Amino acid sequence: VHEQFGWGYALRREGDALVLRGRIPGWVDMYAFTLDPQHPIDYEVANHYTSTHPTSHFVRSLTVQRATPAVRHVLRDRTYEQLRPDSRTQRTVADDDELRTLLADTFDIPLPPGTRLPAALS
């Protein structure tokens, strides 16, 4: 286990792949990779899919994350989480004004005046 700012990370081999696990809190698989050479096109196709395909959850929902040494902020639609190495808190964002404030103050994403937010995401 490698510790970084109180967060724990570990690699586990699964067949030909290596799986990066994070303690967020509790161990979760974050992603898998192999040691095979990768080329820019390998990333381009996957990034294009996740940012444009109508069934991609990145197209169908609001997804924002910001990691700092002390806390990882996660916003999925109207659910806001603060993850720390030893705890997790979660709450529902009450309304559009609170969502705008959260995006600006926590994620440094100020929205231009007049930006419309969907009533229900996903």
Side-chain angles (χ1 to χ4, degrees), residues 40-113:
I41 191 66
D42 298 322
Y43 300 102
E44 188 173 333
V45 171
N47 287 339
H48 178 75
Y49 171 82
T50 60
S51 64
T52 63
H53 197 277
T55 62
S56 168
H57 70 272
F58 292 107
V59 172
R60 299 176 56 85
S61 64
L62 176 63
T63 303
V64 186
Q65 290 195 30
R66 182 176 188 189
T68 70
V71 61
R72 176 179 292 272
H73 302 275
V74 179
L75 179 64
R76 290 189 184 96
D77 291 331
R78 302 292 173 119
T79 301
Y80 172 58
E81 287 186 282
Q82 291 182 326
L83 300 140
R84 292 180 171 77
D86 60 350
S87 67
R88 166 185 259 157
T89 60
Q90 183 181 66
R91 67 179 176 82
T92 300
V93 177
D95 55 33
D96 287 356
D97 289 336
E98 183 183 358
L99 179 58
R100 284 185 178 90
T101 300
L102 183 65
L103 287 168
D105 295 350
T106 302
F107 297 97
D108 197 23
I109 304 174
L111 298 177

